[in-house]
Amino acid sequence: MPHTVTVEDLDAIRPKLQWLVTERARSLPKFRYCDLRIQIREEKWGAAENGEEKASSDNVTLDFGVRLIAQERMSAAGFYGQVLGAADLDRIESVVWEGIGQAHQRARSNARKKSQTWRRFPALAHSLDDTFLARVPVAEDTIAATYEVDPRAVSVEETVRMAVDGCKAATSRARNVLFTAASTSTFLLRELFLSSDGANIDQSFAQTEGFIFVICGSANGNYELYDSTGHQRGWEALTRGYHNGPIDLPDYTTFCRNLGRDASDVAAAPPLRPPDREVPIVTDPNFNTLLVHEVVGHPSELDRALKYETAYAGRSWFLKNLHDNQLGQQIASPLVTAYSDPLMEGYGSFKYDHEGTPARRAYIIRDGVLEEFLNNRQTAAIMNAAPNGSARATEAHLAPLIRMTNTVFAPGQRDPREIISEVDSGYYVVGHRTPSIAESRENFRITAVKVYEIERGQVGRLYRDGGITADSRNYFQSIDAVGSDLRVNPIPNCGKGQPMQAKRMSNGGPTMRGIARLTGPG
């Protein structure tokens, strides 16, 4: 019996699992399709508070998930997932086969219930259909992780030391610091995807991340600020930072030092007293990171748009129903293009999603026109659209959801300094803090880290506790300038689903200018 689990253990069990999915599962009654995801993650993590060691872990996880589609009068899917331990490796074939059996039973039960509902409630028949999956190429591929320093070579003590140094750096240029908390982590993840169609995909990822949280006090009240940095690389992402094209990440201690300084400066600034009218607003790339995430990325996820998650996450302003929607409509200025691209470098990069679909760029908005939703194979079939590789799960034992990947506003041609200089009276909004988004995301309120006055083309006084609020369509249609300064930032904690799945991705954009209302404290 093995005492530990490593990513290399998948080499020995892979042929057995492939046989289960491609051969043995086909013997099950009413079988149509099966896929299996199994992953191993080796991770180190350390945390500190106020410059003192707080906690650490050295953890390995092993889990798998199965989807099986069965045909009764109608077809339906069944899912099963399980977290495993080291002792399960010696009997992995029987454990996974039991999981396939559970998924098979659920699929047949779902298919029977669907047929019964169709017959009993004819008025609902138009909303029930067979579970079809859009066709995708059947791939056999191996993708290696990218790193210089293997995450497994990093000691837990080193992650804690880095977190301690982050706390100290955050206070080095800050005044009135009341509290700091920091954490760092690095892991190596290996995923296998096997399907009854013959897909056999082996993907590995390195991921390194740092987090810092600071509270500063002032006469205007306490001010909290936090952020994360990191990349799909080894430990060098924190020790050296990473700089390549639109990704410009400082080393971790510099990152913490800068955030501590910003927290201190903003805490001391006066609260914003917003004007009672719409004004010209220039938003920086960091603010647009959250704007594209909340108001473009999430509404473009087709499970949300098709009302699969309305009860706990809302709908989409892009699609009222299959006949009344914004596809092909001008929803933004012709200067606005936004896309989701797992093939571009970032936190959400991969070659195949968790259905084995090859990744590609999906243009959500092109030249202001809504062009495409992010989909999985089932929703792509419903919309008669090409699959774009957007189905992903946080862990293998959880069902994949439609998730945005590296989602950004595309850069324009303008110099950001010129965009500001053309504003006679307005505001420059920098950084993002907290979103408050309508149920269908048709309007939004997003607070910023900093808000500056612009007077006669010059950036002036700094304010705290400000942000912008707008109708989404009106704001996007008001965009009259887009900068060339695309920046892509890591987002480590996008939550979706029930049970909740937190997923990493990158978002970003360039400097942009539009018209909106400012918001103040409260």
Side-chain angles (χ1 to χ4, degrees):
M1 179 184 300
H3 297 288
T4 60
V5 178
T6 70
V7 296
E8 286 79 13
D9 286 316
L10 290 181
D11 292 324
I13 64 177
R14 182 177 183 174
K16 303 174 186 177
L17 301 181
Q18 186 178 17
W19 177 78
L20 286 180
V21 173
T22 59
E23 301 295 335
R24 190 175 180 187
R26 291 183 176 277
S27 67
L28 295 168
K30 311 294 185 179
F31 174 90
R32 270 190 47 195
Y33 171 83
C34 179
D35 61 41
L36 167 70
R37 293 167 294 111
I38 185 166
Q39 71 175 35
I40 295 177
R41 181 198 306 257
E42 299 183 59
E43 183 170 14
K44 310 287 180 59
W45 172 83
E49 285 186 5
N50 297 321
E52 300 291 336
E53 298 179 3
K54 177 67 175 180
S56 65
S57 69
D58 182 350
N59 195 35
V60 180
T61 58
L62 166 64
D63 60 323
F64 77 94
V66 176
R67 171 177 59 176
L68 191 143
I69 298 175
Q71 177 85 44
E72 296 282 346
R73 289 179 178 270
M74 301 184 74
S75 62
F79 292 85
Y80 180 83
Q82 186 175 348
V83 178
L84 305 177
D88 293 310
L89 282 174
D90 289 337
R91 56 186 194 96
I92 192 68
E93 191 173 347
S94 62
V95 171
V96 172
W97 179 246
E98 289 172 9
I100 291 174
Q102 289 281 350
H104 175 247
Q105 291 179 25
R106 293 173 182 181
R108 294 192 66 183
S109 176
N110 290 340
R112 287 192 293 267
K113 291 293 185 182
K114 186 187 290 188
S115 299
Q116 293 167 7
T117 302
W118 194 92
R119 293 194 302 271
R120 185 176 179 185
F121 303 103
L124 295 178
H126 71 281
S127 66
L128 296 173
D129 205 347
D130 284 305
T131 300
F132 292 112
L133 302 181
R135 288 184 175 273
V136 297
V138 177
E140 295 187 44
D141 206 350
T142 299
I143 300 93
T146 303
Y147 56 81
E148 293 179 27
V149 180
D150 189 330
R152 296 172 296 179
V154 178
S155 68
V156 171
E157 291 77 15
E158 191 170 357
T159 66
V160 174
R161 282 196 299 270
M162 182 72 81
V164 169
D165 290 344
C167 285
K168 293 177 179 177
T171 63
S172 63
R173 294 185 183 176
R175 304 179 302 277
N176 300 322
V177 175
L178 305 177
F179 178 79
T180 60
S183 64
T184 66
S185 65
T186 187
F187 66 76
L188 186 65
L189 170 68
R190 186 177 177 189
E191 302 174 339
L192 291 183
F193 176 84
L194 307 169
S195 80
S196 56
D197 290 341
N200 190 334
I201 300 169
D202 181 355
Q203 296 187 99
S204 295
F205 305 90
Q207 191 94 38
T208 300
E209 182 175 299
F211 170 83
I212 183 67
F213 174 83
V214 178
I215 301 176
C216 290
S218 79
N220 294 314
N222 294 346
Y223 186 81
E224 300 179 1
L225 188 60
Y226 60 88
D227 204 356
S228 294
T229 186
H231 197 41
Q232 279 191 356
R233 290 294 188 275
W235 191 240
E236 69 276 2
L238 295 188
T239 58
R240 294 204 315 264
Y242 187 82
H243 311 276
N244 186 31
I247 300 176
D248 188 17
L249 305 174
D251 64 86
Y252 179 63
T253 53
T254 300
F255 175 79
C256 294
R257 186 179 301 117
N258 292 343
L259 184 135
R261 179 194 59 207
D262 286 347
S264 179
D265 291 347
V266 176
L272 177 69
R273 299 290 180 241
D276 60 357
R277 65 189 187 282
E278 292 186 333
V279 293
I281 304 287
V282 178
T283 54
D284 86 319
N286 194 282
F287 183 89
N288 292 328
T289 292
L290 188 57
L291 180 66
V292 76
H293 179 100
E294 297 289 358
V295 188
V296 177
H298 276 310
S300 72
E301 294 166 342
L302 196 48
D303 51 358
R304 171 188 291 272
L306 291 175
K307 320 298 190 290
Y308 287 6
E309 58 172 10
T310 297
Y312 52 86
R315 298 172 291 131
S316 168
W317 67 286
F318 292 158
L319 191 143
K320 184 176 181 181
N321 56 54
L322 294 179
H323 307 289
D324 182 3
N325 57 70
Q326 305 299 317
L327 278 169
Q329 301 298 310
Q330 192 84 34
I331 64 168
S333 159
L335 297 176
V336 176
T337 291
Y339 55 81
S340 193
D341 189 355
L343 295 177
M344 70 182 288
E345 191 176 3
Y347 242 15
S349 301
F350 53 88
K351 191 173 179 182
Y352 301 92
D353 77 352
H354 289 156
E355 293 185 313
T357 303
R360 66 170 176 85
R361 176 174 292 188
Y363 278 94
I364 302 166
I365 301 172
R366 195 191 311 241
D367 302 328
V369 176
L370 181 65
E371 182 171 305
E372 184 173 7
F373 285 92
L374 304 178
N375 60 39
N376 58 17
R377 293 180 63 186
Q378 184 177 349
T379 58
I382 291 172
M383 298 292 286
N384 195 27
N388 50 38
S390 302
R392 295 189 300 151
T394 300
E395 308 290 348
H397 68 278
L398 299 170
L401 307 173
I402 299 174
R403 307 300 299 264
M404 74 182 94
T405 56
N406 301 316
T407 304
V408 302
F409 289 117
Q413 303 297 320
R414 299 292 307 278
D415 184 330
R417 293 168 297 185
E418 289 184 359
I419 293 174
I420 294 173
S421 70
E422 295 169 350
V423 177
D424 182 60
S425 179
Y427 291 84
Y428 181 39
V429 176
V430 176
H432 65 266
R433 292 187 73 203
T434 308
S436 178
I437 314 296
E439 192 261 358
S440 294
R441 301 183 181 243
E442 71 275 17
N443 49 61
F444 65 90
R445 172 176 174 169
I446 298 177
T447 58
V449 177
K450 306 174 185 178
V451 178
Y452 294 93
E453 282 183 330
I454 303 175
E455 291 293 338
R456 292 185 288 277
Q458 299 295 316
V459 175
R461 190 170 189 181
L462 168 66
Y463 294 95
R464 60 177 279 176
D465 302 327
I468 67 174
T469 186
D471 173 89
S472 301
R473 181 196 295 270
N474 291 347
Y475 178 71
F476 286 151
Q477 290 182 336
S478 78
I479 300 296
D480 65 359
V482 178
S484 59
D485 56 335
L486 172 64
R487 290 292 179 266
V488 177
N489 301 301
I491 301 292
N493 58 347
C494 173
K496 182 178 177 178
Q498 195 67 275
M500 179 66 69
Q501 297 189 37
K503 198 68 181 169
R504 293 174 173 86
M505 60 201 61
S506 285
N507 295 130
T511 296
M512 304 171 77
R513 187 177 65 208
I515 302 293
R517 281 184 176 269
L518 283 169
T519 62

